[in-house]
Amino acid sequence: MEESRFNDHSKNIYEFLKNAYYGTGGFGNGNYLEMHPRETPDRFNTRKNLSYYPNYVKPCVNAHVDPIFKEWPIREFEKNELFNGFLNDVDGKKTTLDRFMKKVALKAKLFGYVFILIDNDTEIKTNLKDAIENRKYPYLITINRNQVSDWSFDKFGNLNMLQYSQKFTNVSESGDKETETITWKWTNTKWVKQSGSSTEEGENSIGIIPIVPVFGAVQFDESELPHSEFYQIAKSNLAIFNACSELRERNRNQAFSLLTYPVGENDQFDEVAEGLTVGDKDMLMYRGTKGPEYITPSAEPSQMLLDEVKFMVEEIYRMAERANVTGVQEQNSGVAKEWDNQGLFQSIAEFAKNLEEAEEKIAFVFGKYINKDLKFNSTYNYEYGINDAIDLISEITEVLNINVSPTFAKEIKKKLVRALLKDLDDDVVNKILGEIDTQADDAFFSEKENTE
């Protein structure tokens, strides 16, 4: 296969972002700390062992994903038993599409993008019951940033080639482990599989690449993959990690007052200090006549570090469009807060639209595999504030009284159903939505006209 376009720097970015989200790697063992020029190796190792990671990356990423999944998506499609089974087990591990898409959303937001492969079972079951019971139908696999080695987009920005690697651990009967790396290449017409010196290839039977990209950031150049919006936030969190370690080290070493003890000109240090630990740990001795006293180092360097940490925290929240979260003390007007919220909500809504389109592409490829047009439609949650059900009913009732159009009224009622019945089974919700669609147009306004 061709040489990889995915360099070591990009792989390091993936590891760095993953460690920043989970607090692992260099954040967990202190290897991301920088050593001071005057710091001894022993003291630096002690500082690494005592380090702690104040994680701002995880809550910021989650703040862009959790509101979307405050309510599970509503999915409308033509009845199909295989697809129903797929929705409840998309990966052969009993993962529902809801849970799978939330994991995909988190990865896409954190790393900038993730790919979803819709692969088909090699052993096709002609018997429907057999296929459902033995899960012999298409399944999903996520392809992460660090697995991708090459890609291509056509002139319209559609993915038409992806090359990636998967690592597997094989265990023999004796319990020995052996790692195997398989490299795959998919195009619209074929697939190629390479393992060691062995290469296989075959025809892509559905005629389109069965891989769906999910972008968590803006793709400015349609020939390239987007960069993570959270990389600079993670870098800022790295600076906070170092500053907090330096602040703690200074406070541990200098926060406590030292006893100073004067020793006369004719006195010997050894005689005076008999039974005492001499030095700056317990006592500082000096030649002089002034009485014993406590001295305290200046707090200004510690305050400088503390101010730096506070500044970087505010910068992280600004970059993550979370300027008004708890922990940022600046008081903003109601209008300013509303503008900030609108900016965040708009960003979340655009990402939710990406997830909707990804689901619809998944359903399209699934339908290609089983030769069925599922007429699939996915609707994600777009209400990101804290809403009261009674207020929502009152608001929608007032809107219905405007009598804009029957179609408008139907869509508003559907919105109400999705908001209030989010905990019901999808089949029940879809049945109600279907009943709204089948109502005559004049039924929406007859009650109001009769009262008049």
Side-chain angles (χ1 to χ4, degrees), residues 159-375:
L159 182 73
N160 58 10
M161 188 274 287
L162 188 73
Q163 180 176 295
Y164 62 94
S165 298
Q166 294 174 303
K167 286 187 178 181
F168 301 94
T169 301
N170 301 314
V171 181
S172 66
E173 292 182 0
S174 61
D176 296 329
K177 293 182 179 180
E178 184 179 352
T179 301
E180 179 185 13
T181 300
I182 299 177
T183 300
W184 292 87
K185 184 175 183 179
W186 282 90
T187 68
N188 291 327
T189 57
K190 70 176 185 177
W191 56 264
V192 180
K193 175 185 176 182
Q194 181 176 330
S195 178
S197 59
S198 172
T199 301
E200 300 175 47
E201 62 179 75
E203 180 187 358
N204 179 2
S205 60
I206 61 175
I208 58 172
I209 187 168
I211 298 175
V212 177
V214 181
F215 297 140
V218 176
Q219 185 189 20
F220 286 108
D221 184 348
E222 291 193 340
S223 65
E224 294 297 326
L225 298 173
H227 297 284
S228 170
E229 295 173 342
F230 286 87
Y231 178 67
Q232 291 303 327
I233 290 176
K235 292 275 285 184
S236 299
N237 213 152
L238 173 62
I240 292 175
F241 179 51
N242 273 273
C244 285
S245 176
E246 294 159 3
L247 176 62
R248 189 182 189 198
E249 179 71 3
R250 185 183 191 279
N251 289 346
R252 285 183 73 250
N253 292 332
Q254 300 189 29
F256 303 102
S257 300
L258 299 178
L259 174 63
T260 61
Y261 192 90
V263 178
E265 291 291 335
N266 298 323
D267 294 332
Q268 297 295 320
F269 274 9
D270 291 342
E271 295 175 3
V272 177
E274 187 176 354
L276 296 175
T277 301
V278 181
D280 63 358
K281 298 297 182 184
D282 295 325
M283 181 185 292
L284 178 66
M285 304 179 71
Y286 63 96
R287 296 288 185 185
T289 58
K290 191 177 180 180
E293 63 180 343
Y294 283 97
I295 60 173
T296 302
S298 170
E300 289 183 2
S302 291
Q303 188 60 49
M304 179 184 67
L305 287 169
L306 187 60
D307 289 342
E308 182 183 5
V309 170
K310 289 180 178 178
F311 170 75
M312 286 187 289
V313 170
E314 292 178 4
E315 284 298 284
I316 283 177
Y317 284 135
R318 180 189 61 79
M319 288 188 285
E321 298 178 287
R322 297 187 65 203
N324 292 306
V325 297
T326 303
V328 179
Q329 300 298 320
E330 182 180 352
Q331 298 297 315
N332 293 324
S333 69
V335 174
K337 289 182 179 181
E338 184 62 24
W339 273 109
D340 285 335
N341 287 337
Q342 287 300 320
L344 174 60
F345 292 165
Q346 182 62 35
S347 176
I348 295 174
E350 289 174 0
F351 184 48
K353 191 64 180 175
N354 288 351
L355 297 175
E356 284 180 354
E357 293 173 355
E359 281 200 20
E360 289 165 4
K361 289 176 183 177
I362 290 170
F364 179 75
V365 174
F366 189 101
K368 283 280 189 180
Y369 278 127
I370 64 173
N371 296 315
K372 174 76 173 176
D373 183 2
L374 297 168
K375 295 182 172 58

Side-chain angles (χ1 to χ4, degrees), residues 134-146:
N134 295 288
R135 216 228 168 274
K136 299 297 182 181
Y137 48 82
Y139 56 92
L140 305 182
I141 297 174
T142 53
I143 302 168
N144 298 322
R145 176 179 181 139
N146 64 323

Side-chain angles (χ1 to χ4, degrees), residues 35-94:
M35 188 175 179
H36 288 294
R38 297 192 303 272
E39 194 170 23
T40 65
D42 286 343
R43 288 179 72 91
F44 181 54
N45 285 332
T46 299
R47 185 158 69 89
K48 284 166 60 175
N49 291 333
L50 294 174
S51 65
Y52 65 95
Y53 175 52
N55 192 337
Y56 293 94
V57 172
K58 185 173 183 177
C60 286
V61 172
N62 290 352
H64 283 253
V65 174
D66 286 345
I68 298 174
F69 293 91
K70 183 175 68 172
E71 301 171 10
W72 294 121
I74 300 295
R75 303 180 178 97
E76 301 173 61
F77 55 92
E78 287 196 354
K79 270 196 170 184
N80 183 275
E81 291 187 58
L82 283 179
F83 195 68
N84 278 336
F86 169 78
L87 292 177
N88 294 313
D89 181 9
V90 298
D91 57 1
K93 296 180 287 189
K94 303 299 182 183

